[in-house]
Amino acid sequence: MSDNQSWNSSGSEEDIEPREDYGHPVGVVEFSGVLSKWTNYIHGWQDRWVVLKNNTLSYYKSQDETEYGCRGSLCLSKAVITPHEFDECRLDISVNDSVWYLRAQDPERRNKWIEFIELHRSIREGRRQKGGIQGTIIIPSPLADSGYGSESSLRRHGSMLSLTSATSGYSATSTSSFKKGHSLREKLAEMETFRDILCRQVDTLQKYFDSCADVSKDELQRDKIVEDDEDDFPNTRTDGEFLHNNNGSKEKLFQSLNPKGINGIDFKGEAITFKATTAGILATLSHCIDLMVKREDSWQKRLDKEMEKRRRIEESYKSALNELKKKSHFGGPDYEEGPNSLINEDEFFDAVEAALDRQDKIEEQSQAEKTRIERSSPPPPEDIYSTSGSHRFSNKVEEMVQNHMTYSLQDVGGDANWQLVVEEGEMKVYRREVEENGIVLDPLKATHSVKGVTGHEVCHYFWDTMYRNDWETTIENFNVVERLSDNAAIIYQTHKRVWPASQRDVLYLSAMRKILANNENDPDTWLVCNFSVDHDEAQSSSRCVRAKINIAMICQTLVSPPEGDKEISRDNILCKITYVANVNPGGWAPASVLRAVAKREYPKFLKRFTSYVQEKTSGKPILF
């Protein structure tokens, strides 16, 4: 390695950080625990056993299954850890397009995880930096080859220059890259030539100055000797030779400078050449400056154009990256229903509509199989439906029944608050827009007429849980929490998830009643009312949003007399149905989406259910 080049390295053995046997730095222990991880929009958050070791985050299905291998891992070297803006228990870890959404049990545990992750990352980064070569490199000067450019020469003559300044001063010129302008390149080439000439001239002059210094010392010493021994010299010749005549011979003591100077150097000629060289350098520099000034405007315009082009490219890149991230993680927890959801109303509706279409296709394939299944559930005697029973909710059931008989059967034709939103044949659907704290609470009322079935049959299939899965397509599962009486039960059911909306569940009391007519000419009324209640065995959970309902299916049977002595057949009966629904969906679903879904789904439900009742009762005895 030359004297003009040096570097500092921190890669020695004593700098290596102490390690444990398993390969990670001392003081950084393995950290593990249970975190909830977002799996997908179907299963949502699931508890996973997460392990932080060797700057790698891995997760397992549970602590007991760690021996089977991890289900996934992330290297934290280039990971971005983001605490969630609103959820104090959540942190997101992303590496390129891969994102892990994690939730701790409380904010303290989340902060503990973040602290340990950053500790692993910082120590690994410190080890990486220690392993590299750091320091400075001294680049030799282009003038180092000449005597004048050497460090010792500069120091001997007290120059204010240094190697660093000489190098930087030269490199600023020699490394300038002017791609265009032939004359400018020529002038720079001239500068290089002048530099070489100047270095040689400086070297020559340096030798001359050194010789002059040596001669001056010799003359001073000789003059002193001459003064002391002046009488010993018999004569002095005019040609500059001093003679000593002790033995009668002449001896030359020294010779003065000849016209060529010391060592044959033509000092005057060198000075003239040196002056011409420096003048040429100055003239060439002036020419270069003039050329660069003329091109400054052009270069500035090019620079502005390139800067504008770069700005546009950066904006396009950021836009494309945001779109890619949005598509890559569309379905993550940030896009599901909530006050801070990243999805807008149009995208929310499109996603819900697409999910409902998929469910409809699946249901069409399985519906034929369901209708072929024969289930026998003989209806109990009619007198059990005449009262609300003697259970603890009997008074509440009676109150709900009377309210529905009073208000739900009122005609809505002249009420301006009710809006007709759907009309398909005999079916009409009305809606009254009501919002409370931003949540849609629109009451819905539908009227329908169905031939060939009775009110008793319609309410029987609507109330009996044995047939629920045959006609209800939105339920994921349900169970009877408590059977209060032969005509009343408390039911818990969860509805299928329709992403990005949160999953809903509902706990309600379902009761079936028969209301006798006050006038013998009026038909009896069959009614099923479902309304939300609370029960200790079906508490609300974080997995679902609990909806509140108050629904009634009210049916009356109209009979047209048969001709002659014929018996009454299904051709002679008509069921008038009034269906009312008051639903509080909870959550943060957009109002426009809820109204659009209700307008789409309620008519489909009524047609699907009444068609099912017609199929199940066809060919069977009439149940009045």
Side-chain angles (χ1 to χ4, degrees):
M1 184 172 63
S2 65
D3 294 337
N4 290 330
Q5 289 182 335
S6 65
W7 63 82
N8 297 326
S9 174
S10 60
S12 59
E13 290 182 1
E14 62 268 22
D15 292 334
I16 298 177
E17 197 162 328
R19 300 174 181 267
E20 297 285 1
D21 292 339
Y22 45 78
H24 58 270
V26 174
V28 182
V29 297
E30 177 181 328
F31 190 65
S32 58
V34 176
L35 290 174
S36 296
K37 183 178 182 296
W38 177 264
T39 54
N40 52 54
Y41 68 86
I42 297 177
H43 300 289
W45 297 97
Q46 299 290 332
D47 288 343
R48 295 288 182 260
W49 182 256
V50 183
V51 177
L52 175 59
K53 182 178 179 181
N54 295 343
N55 202 39
T56 300
L57 198 67
S58 308
Y59 78 92
Y60 306 80
K61 186 174 183 181
S62 65
Q63 186 177 4
D64 298 332
E65 297 187 12
T66 54
E67 60 184 11
Y68 301 122
C70 68
R71 293 195 163 198
S73 62
L74 281 179
C75 178
L76 299 175
S77 297
K78 296 184 179 180
V80 178
I81 293 88
T82 308
H84 197 264
E85 183 178 2
F86 305 103
D87 191 343
E88 295 182 349
C89 298
R90 178 177 150 192
L91 65 151
D92 300 345
I93 303 177
S94 60
V95 178
N96 297 327
D97 293 336
S98 178
V99 181
W100 284 12
Y101 306 102
L102 303 173
R103 292 189 84 252
Q105 295 178 356
D106 50 57
E108 289 77 13
R109 297 192 185 186
R110 182 195 74 168
N111 295 337
K112 195 70 174 178
W113 273 100
I114 295 176
E115 178 183 346
F116 269 85
I117 290 173
E118 293 295 345
L119 179 61
H120 273 254
R121 282 158 53 90
S122 62
I123 290 182
R124 178 58 61 92
E125 181 66 19
R127 285 172 51 204
R128 186 187 69 79
Q129 290 181 356
K130 276 194 172 185
I133 296 178
Q134 300 174 350
T136 59
I137 296 176
I138 302 175
I139 302 174
S141 168
L143 302 179
D145 294 336
S146 66
Y148 182 76
S150 65
E151 184 178 2
S152 60
S153 176
L154 291 171
R155 190 185 300 115
R156 183 169 68 244
H157 292 284
S159 173
M160 296 300 292
L161 295 174
S162 65
L163 276 175
T164 305
S165 62
T167 302
S168 61
Y170 169 71
S171 62
T173 303
S174 63
T175 60
S176 299
S177 177
F178 303 105
K179 298 294 183 181
K180 294 184 180 180
H182 182 67
S183 59
L184 186 58
R185 281 204 299 269
E186 285 182 345
K187 292 302 176 182
L188 290 174
E190 288 179 12
M191 292 281 293
E192 293 286 341
T193 304
F194 281 132
R195 181 189 67 83
D196 295 337
I197 297 173
L198 190 61
C199 287
R200 289 194 296 269
Q201 291 175 346
V202 168
D203 187 45
T204 301
L205 291 174
Q206 179 72 54
K207 293 178 181 178
Y208 178 80
F209 293 147
D210 290 342
S211 298
C212 286
D214 293 339
V215 169
S216 297
K217 290 180 182 179
D218 292 341
E219 280 194 349
L220 288 173
Q221 188 175 3
R222 182 187 58 76
D223 290 342
K224 184 176 181 181
I225 294 172
V226 169
E227 289 176 358
D228 295 337
D229 301 332
E230 186 176 359
D231 295 337
D232 295 336
F233 290 92
N235 56 18
T236 301
R237 295 180 57 177
T238 58
D239 57 358
E241 294 181 346
F242 294 89
L243 302 176
H244 187 66
N245 199 18
N246 290 339
N247 53 9
S249 63
K250 294 182 180 180
E251 183 178 354
K252 180 166 53 174
L253 297 178
F254 73 96
Q255 184 178 14
S256 62
L257 292 174
N258 57 32
K260 292 283 187 179
I262 297 175
N263 296 329
I265 298 175
D266 185 2
F267 178 71
K268 184 175 182 180
E270 290 293 337
I272 294 173
T273 307
F274 182 80
K275 182 178 179 181
T277 304
T278 54
I281 290 176
L282 293 176
T284 306
L285 281 174
S286 177
H287 192 184
C288 289
I289 292 172
D290 291 341
L291 289 174
M292 286 188 286
V293 169
K294 291 177 181 179
R295 293 191 179 186
E296 183 177 5
D297 292 340
S298 175
W299 289 344
Q300 187 64 45
K301 290 179 181 178
R302 291 183 184 180
L303 177 62
D304 294 341
K305 188 179 296 183
E306 290 297 325
M307 292 293 290
E308 178 65 20
K309 186 186 297 184
R310 178 174 178 175
R311 184 187 65 79
R312 292 178 182 176
I313 292 174
E314 287 178 348
E315 290 179 355
S316 300
Y317 171 75
K318 289 179 181 179
S319 177
L321 187 62
N322 290 334
E323 288 296 323
L324 179 61
K325 288 183 177 180
K326 185 175 180 180
K327 292 178 181 178
S328 300
H329 310 304
F330 199 79
D334 290 323
Y335 291 91
E336 65 178 350
E337 173 187 347
N340 304 304
S341 176
L342 299 181
I343 192 171
N344 59 43
E345 288 193 14
D346 292 337
E347 293 172 333
F348 195 105
F349 176 74
D350 291 341
V352 169
E353 189 174 40
L356 292 174
D357 289 339
R358 288 194 297 269
Q359 290 186 7
D360 289 345
K361 290 181 180 179
I362 296 173
E363 189 61 31
E364 288 176 3
Q365 296 173 358
S366 60
Q367 191 63 38
E369 185 66 25
K370 289 181 179 181
T371 55
R372 286 196 296 267
I373 299 175
E374 289 293 335
R375 294 183 176 89
S376 59
S377 176
E382 293 186 16
D383 55 354
I384 69 169
Y385 299 115
S386 300
T387 63
S388 298
S390 57
H391 51 83
R392 64 182 184 278
F393 289 100
S394 56
N395 292 335
K396 185 65 175 177
V397 171
E398 190 63 30
E399 178 185 349
M400 288 292 183
V401 168
Q402 293 304 321
N403 284 338
H404 284 302
M405 291 299 296
T406 302
Y407 300 107
S408 299
L409 292 178
Q410 292 180 353
D411 186 17
V412 298
D415 192 340
N417 292 326
W418 289 96
Q419 303 174 12
L420 178 64
V421 292
V422 177
E423 182 174 8
E424 296 181 9
E426 295 292 331
M427 180 176 59
K428 296 180 180 180
V429 180
Y430 300 87
R431 179 180 66 205
R432 186 155 50 90
E433 294 188 358
V434 176
E435 287 190 29
E436 184 176 327
N437 296 326
I439 300 177
V440 175
L441 305 176
D442 294 354
L444 235 90
K445 178 182 288 189
T447 61
H448 195 22
S449 298
V450 183
K451 293 181 179 181
V453 295
T454 65
H456 188 180
E457 291 170 333
V458 172
C459 288
H460 171 68
Y461 285 103
F462 185 74
W463 180 80
D464 197 333
T465 55
M466 179 179 293
Y467 307 101
R468 183 67 52 85
N469 281 331
D470 290 350
W471 56 266
E472 179 60 273
T473 62
T474 64
I475 291 179
E476 184 175 84
N477 56 65
F478 73 94
N479 65 287
V480 178
V481 178
E482 182 181 355
R483 190 166 290 280
L484 301 174
S485 64
D486 291 337
N487 67 335
I490 296 178
I491 300 171
Y492 172 77
Q493 67 187 31
T494 57
H495 291 264
K496 295 176 182 177
R497 173 77 184 275
V498 181
W499 189 89
S502 301
Q503 189 171 18
R504 258 69 176 181
D505 65 356
V506 60
L507 178 67
Y508 63 94
L509 188 152
S510 181
M512 180 174 172
R513 288 288 305 278
K514 177 184 179 181
I515 310 299
L516 298 176
N518 296 327
N519 189 331
E520 62 179 8
N521 294 326
D522 293 336
D524 295 335
T525 301
W526 288 88
L527 179 145
V528 176
C529 62
N530 300 335
F531 58 91
S532 294
V533 294
D534 295 323
H535 199 282
D536 294 337
E537 296 182 10
Q539 299 292 336
S540 300
S541 68
S542 59
R543 180 170 173 265
C544 298
V545 176
R546 179 63 57 88
K548 302 292 184 180
I549 64 170
N550 183 7
I551 294 172
M553 177 75 75
I554 307 170
C555 303
Q556 293 176 329
T557 306
L558 303 180
V559 181
S560 59
E563 297 180 357
D565 297 331
K566 293 181 180 180
E567 295 182 358
I568 296 177
S569 67
R570 293 195 175 274
D571 295 333
N572 302 116
I573 58 177
L574 177 71
C575 180
K576 293 186 63 177
I577 299 175
T578 300
Y579 179 81
V580 293
N582 294 271
V583 179
N584 182 346
W588 298 87
S592 60
V593 176
L594 287 176
R595 290 189 172 109
V597 171
K599 182 178 178 180
R600 162 187 164 144
E601 293 300 310
Y602 275 107
K604 288 171 58 177
F605 151 71
L606 273 179
K607 288 191 291 185
R608 181 175 62 249
F609 172 68
T610 53
S611 298
Y612 170 80
V613 175
Q614 286 176 321
E615 292 178 7
K616 296 297 287 186
T617 57
S618 177
K620 294 181 179 179
I622 301 174
L623 181 63
F624 285 100

